[in-house]
């Protein structure tokens, strides 16, 4: 009995030794397999819209691994960026390290599926895009696109000039001979007038030696414009507009307008480009609808306007259907896009009216409805039935 018991114990010890050896050999292989799988587990695109001191980023994560029920994306900034708000995710930041966690409605991420979210932030000295991401702790093997080449459509046909495009309005204000707008531009205050004024400026210009200067005053009903004398009723079916604009002051929290287009579909009331909550917006005078909606997420999908430099503002308006697109410096603004399909936080108010706009005129200037003043300039203004580029 003693000999049998000893033999059994020896066999058991030998068996455990064999098991431990197999485990010791297998563990490095398992760890290596996991690391290799993590390297190709996802791809991330990181698309920024930057201005002096601030930025927004649209982020798309594509899951190349197994389906996930709950996701967490991590990265580190190489500059001094600070995230201030986000949408479709919950973001926390500690130093340069940032973590974005799914919201309740987008926790499920299928194999091969993608999720989109965005954020807004500030920076002081540098704003480089992150180059490495990890999804649920596994490094992403895909590449990032921090500064993609804009591909707005339709392709512009006249990069610098507009006469060759057959534009109805093509003005760099070089034909103005005095300080008061004249000829094809006339000073107007369509609703009411305040302290603002428009003039032809020979000290600041984008091209040539002249531009249109607007000294926009604050206060309710402080309106002043230079209006084109061109009738735009037959331009279309898509109206394309391009202009250079230079602001001295950032867009305020309160509503202001700097481009106004009389709209036949609103009985002559204006289709307006301006700002609210510090970001670029469209506004419809007849019902005060805004594009985007003035929620934090909606505002974040638009963009502030840089000051102290010339910007290229382009937009197109389809007069046959509810379709509008807007670009700043050839970067399309997601929150200023209407395509007839409802987009959360963007076009709910806008699509409440089914009749598409029908602009009949163009006015450049300043409308304040409370606080908010600015000195701004316009140059190289073009409008026609064909695309006109920056």
């Amino acid at each position: 009995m003693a000999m049998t018991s000893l033999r059994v114990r020896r066999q058991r010890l030998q068996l455990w030794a064999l098991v431990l050896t197999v485990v010791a050999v297998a563990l490095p292989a398992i760890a290596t397999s996991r690391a290799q799988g993590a390297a190709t587990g996802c791809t991330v695109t990181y698309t920024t819209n930057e201005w002096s001191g601030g930025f927004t980023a649209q982020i798309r994560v594509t899951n190349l691994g197994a389906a996930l029920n709950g996701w967490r994306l991590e990265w580190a900034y190489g500059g001094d960026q600070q995230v201030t708000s986000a949408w479709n995710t919950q973001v926390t930041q500690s130093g340069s390290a940032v973590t974005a966690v799914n919201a309740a409605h987008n926790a499920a991420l299928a194999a091969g599926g993608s999720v989109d979210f965005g954020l807004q932030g500030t920076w002081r000295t540098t704003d480089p895009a992150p180059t490495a991401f990890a999804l649920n702790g596994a490094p992403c093997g895909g590449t990032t696109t921090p500064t993609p080449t804009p591909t707005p459509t339709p392709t512009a046909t006249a990069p610098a000039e507009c006469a060759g495009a057959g534009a109805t309005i093509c003005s760099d204000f070089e034909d103005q001979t005095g300080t008061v707008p004249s000829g094809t531009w006339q000073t107007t205050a369509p609703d009411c007038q305040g302290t603002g004024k428009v003039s032809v400026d020979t000290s600041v210009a984008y091209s040539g030696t002249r531009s249109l200067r607007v000294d926009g005053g604050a206060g309710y009903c402080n309106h002043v414009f230079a209006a084109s004398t061109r009738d735009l009723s037959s331009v279309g079916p898509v109206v394309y507009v391009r202009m250079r604009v230079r602001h001295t002051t950032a867009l305020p929290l309160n509503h202001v307008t700097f481009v106004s287009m009389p709209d036949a579909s609103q009985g002559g009331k204006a289709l307006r480009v301006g700002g609210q909550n510090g970001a670029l917006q469209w506004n419809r005078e007849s019902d005060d609808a805004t594009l985007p909606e003035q929620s934090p997420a909606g505002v974040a999908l638009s963009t502030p306007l840089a000051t102290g430099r010339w910007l290229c503002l382009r937009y197109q308006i389809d007069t046959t259907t509810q379709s509008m697109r807007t670009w700043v410096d050839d970067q399309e603004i997601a929150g200023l896009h209407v395509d007839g399909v409802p987009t959360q936080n963007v076009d709910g108010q806008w699509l409440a009216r089914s009749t598409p706009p029908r602009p009949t005129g163009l006015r450049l200037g300043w409308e304040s409805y409370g606080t908010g003043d600015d000195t701004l300039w316009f140059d190289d203004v073009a409008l026609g039935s064909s695309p006109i580029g920056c």
Side-chain angles (χ1 to χ4, degrees):
M1 290 293 292
M3 289 297 293
T4 300
S5 177
L6 180 60
R7 187 179 300 111
V8 170
R9 284 198 298 270
R10 285 177 178 174
Q11 290 174 343
R12 288 177 177 173
L13 289 174
Q14 290 171 349
L15 180 59
W16 277 111
L18 178 60
V19 170
L20 291 175
T21 300
V22 171
V23 171
V25 171
L27 279 176
I30 292 171
T32 302
S33 175
R34 286 177 177 171
Q36 290 172 345
T40 58
C42 59
T43 59
V44 177
T45 58
Y46 183 98
T47 306
T48 58
N49 178 29
E50 179 187 295
W51 60 93
S52 178
F55 71 97
T56 59
Q58 283 291 129
I59 302 169
R60 168 167 288 189
V61 184
T62 300
N63 177 24
L64 302 182
L68 301 175
N69 185 16
W71 53 265
R72 181 184 74 258
L73 189 71
E74 298 170 289
W75 70 90
Y77 281 124
D80 54 3
Q81 300 100 316
Q82 291 292 318
V83 177
T84 57
S85 62
W87 54 96
N88 291 331
T89 186
Q90 302 176 55
V91 172
T92 57
Q93 182 171 1
S94 177
S96 62
V98 182
T99 301
V101 179
N102 63 269
H105 68 275
N106 61 7
L109 185 53
S114 299
V115 63
D116 295 271
F117 64 92
L119 54 86
Q120 184 166 355
T122 62
W123 60 277
R124 291 185 178 181
T125 57
T126 57
D127 181 29
T131 58
F133 297 85
L135 180 63
N136 285 12
C140 292
T143 59
T144 66
T145 56
T147 52
T149 302
T151 55
T153 56
T155 303
T157 57
E161 302 295 334
C162 52
T168 302
I169 297 175
C170 181
S171 178
D172 57 5
F173 303 102
E174 296 303 304
D175 61 342
Q176 299 290 309
T177 57
T179 59
V180 178
S182 61
T184 57
W185 294 95
Q186 297 291 321
T187 302
T188 182
D191 297 315
C192 49
Q193 191 169 3
T195 59
K197 64 179 182 178
V198 294
S199 59
V200 177
D201 194 346
T202 57
S203 62
V204 176
Y206 177 78
S207 65
T209 60
R210 289 173 172 81
S211 67
L212 180 70
R213 172 172 171 156
V214 180
D215 292 282
Y220 178 75
C221 212
N222 202 336
H223 302 179
V224 65
F225 289 92
S228 170
T229 59
R230 304 291 189 185
D231 182 0
L232 309 182
S233 300
S234 61
V235 177
V238 179
V239 178
Y240 298 91
V241 184
R242 183 223 54 206
M243 65 187 68
R244 301 283 178 172
V245 61
R246 180 185 180 116
H247 289 262
T248 300
T249 306
L251 294 172
L253 292 177
N254 286 342
H255 179 205
V256 293
T257 293
F258 59 89
V259 178
S260 175
M261 303 184 76
D263 182 3
S265 73
Q266 298 183 70
K269 291 186 179 294
L271 185 67
R272 306 186 284 202
V273 181
Q276 191 167 347
N277 287 311
L280 191 64
Q281 75 159 10
W282 283 91
N283 177 273
R284 194 165 53 208
E285 184 181 6
S286 59
D287 58 0
D288 206 31
T290 66
L291 180 75
E293 297 177 13
Q294 295 303 297
S295 64
V299 171
L301 290 171
S302 183
T303 180
L305 293 182
T307 60
R309 69 175 181 88
W310 289 99
L311 303 172
C312 180
L313 172 64
R314 285 197 302 131
Y315 57 88
Q316 65 183 55
I317 303 167
D318 194 326
T319 65
T320 64
T321 186
Q322 279 283 26
S323 177
M324 297 166 56
R325 300 178 71 180
T326 310
W327 296 264
V328 175
D329 288 340
D330 275 340
Q331 178 71 49
E332 185 168 12
I333 310 303
L336 304 179
H337 182 184
V338 176
D339 57 9
V341 179
T343 302
Q344 186 176 3
N345 295 307
V346 174
D347 54 11
Q349 291 185 22
W350 206 261
L351 295 179
R353 184 187 183 98
S354 60
T355 307
R358 173 63 271 185
T360 61
L362 177 67
R363 302 183 294 226
L364 309 176
W366 189 257
E367 286 185 2
S368 172
Y369 312 96
T371 60
D373 56 2
D374 194 5
T375 299
L376 60 155
W377 292 263
F378 296 91
D379 205 351
D380 288 11
V381 179
L383 183 151
S385 301
S386 301
I388 306 167
C390 290

